[in-house]
Amino acid sequence: MKIASFNINGIKARIEALPRWLEAARPDVVCLQEIKSQDESFPRELFEDMGYRVETHGQKSFNGVAILSKLPLEDVTRGLPGDEGDEQARWIEATVIGARAVRVCGLYLPNGNPAPGPKFDYKLGWMARMEARVKALLSTEEPVIFLGDYNVIPQPQDAAKPEAWVEDALFRPESRAAFRRLVNLGLTDAIRTLDPRPGIYTFWDYQANSWERGNGIRIDHLLLSPQAADLLEEAGIDKDTRAGDKPSDHVPVWVDLAA
């Protein structure tokens, strides 16, 4: 089962690029972030015609997450538990029914800038709520994958120029510590487990020729429960989409599970 994550930075902007990547990469399941579309405005028919089931958790102009799946989906839920007043569309879950059922949690974690400040407080609070949800799902002892745009640079090796990010919410000690707490619950960072080398990035800012200069960061992550890690066969990053026509500032990350 090939499961991917892709922050597309607007479904309208990526309406041609996303189908091209889907046809080339052929993932079974894709978690999308920043669809920037309400549910009723998402072009679901386009992806249904490609054989995907479509589940969205949209928001007008901002945020928004979705799951596209060629396999049956069960128990779809929207929104991260722990704050009924949180109206930001950043979390969607579903169980994918393959040879082995896998719970897939697609997330778009808050950016948190400027930090310190209310937005940074919201980021850390959101991460604490995610930690509670991870604990709950780990207690099921079933394969679970938490994938998406985490807006966290875990280690200096995850940035071409870590010194430039020292005061940024993505790299502040509090964000990195919260990410470590997630991993320390027993999750496996699929990309780092299979390829520990520096220079692996998933995001290049549109400005200052970041792509051309190789000035990237790794903020899109695939974290696997122990049961999912036991099924891990391969993981990777599709950098070619960043060099294509009208690219997102992120590239897809993916994992192959024996499920």
Side-chain angles (χ1 to χ4, degrees):
M1 184 189 297
K2 186 175 183 180
I3 305 173
S5 170
F6 194 179
N7 181 322
I8 57 173
N9 195 11
I11 186 60
K12 291 182 180 179
R14 243 53 67 191
I15 197 66
E16 296 179 0
L18 179 57
R20 282 201 304 268
W21 171 73
L22 290 171
E23 289 178 353
R26 302 178 65 84
D28 298 299
V29 183
V30 186
C31 290
L32 302 175
Q33 301 90 47
E34 281 202 275
I35 62 174
K36 299 180 180 180
S37 166
Q38 294 176 301
D39 294 336
E40 60 271 21
S41 302
F42 190 84
R44 59 187 308 116
E45 294 84 2
L46 171 63
F47 303 104
E48 289 172 343
D49 289 345
M50 297 178 69
Y52 285 98
R53 296 164 176 82
V54 179
E55 297 289 347
T56 60
H57 180 34
Q59 183 176 343
K60 185 177 181 180
S61 302
F62 298 98
N63 305 324
V65 289
I67 298 177
L68 311 181
S69 178
K70 289 192 173 182
L71 297 167
L73 296 175
E74 293 183 355
D75 190 21
V76 180
T77 60
R78 296 164 175 82
L80 182 64
D83 183 357
E84 294 183 358
D86 186 1
E87 297 181 351
Q88 297 194 28
R90 295 181 174 275
W91 183 275
I92 188 168
E93 289 183 31
T95 298
V96 182
I97 307 300
R100 176 80 183 269
V102 178
R103 188 69 176 170
V104 172
C105 302
L107 63 107
Y108 176 44
L109 205 147
N111 177 286
N113 282 303
K119 291 185 177 180
F120 191 55
D121 293 341
Y122 173 67
K123 179 191 186 92
L124 296 180
W126 202 96
M127 295 185 78
R129 288 161 53 202
M130 180 178 173
E131 183 178 346
R133 184 59 182 157
V134 170
K135 289 178 180 178
L137 289 172
L138 288 178
S139 70
T140 68
E141 298 186 354
E142 295 295 330
V144 188
I145 177 170
F146 305 90
L147 71 167
D149 177 0
Y150 280 70
N151 269 315
V152 176
I153 305 169
Q155 303 175 37
Q157 72 183 72
D158 295 313
K161 297 181 178 180
E163 68 278 3
W165 296 89
V166 171
E167 297 300 327
D168 194 281
L170 278 63
F171 196 55
R172 285 183 66 94
E174 301 95 326
S175 302
R176 295 164 63 196
F179 185 86
R180 283 195 301 273
R181 285 195 293 273
L182 292 173
V183 174
N184 289 342
L185 293 174
L187 301 182
T188 294
D189 183 338
I191 295 294
R192 276 287 168 239
T193 296
L194 297 182
D195 193 345
R197 297 173 300 168
I200 298 174
Y201 309 129
T202 65
F203 172 89
W204 294 260
D205 196 289
Y206 287 129
Q207 300 180 5
N209 294 321
S210 294
W211 170 254
E212 292 78 7
R213 295 170 181 264
N215 186 16
I217 55 177
R218 188 176 77 101
I219 57 175
D220 301 85
H221 307 298
L222 309 150
L223 300 186
L224 280 58
S225 73
Q227 294 77 17
D230 287 344
L231 304 174
L232 177 61
E233 295 187 328
E234 194 175 359
I237 296 171
D238 290 348
K239 289 183 65 175
D240 288 348
T241 62
R242 187 61 178 83
D245 183 44
K246 295 183 179 179
S248 171
D249 43 6
H250 294 252
V251 295
V253 296
W254 55 269
V255 64
D256 226 336
L257 302 181

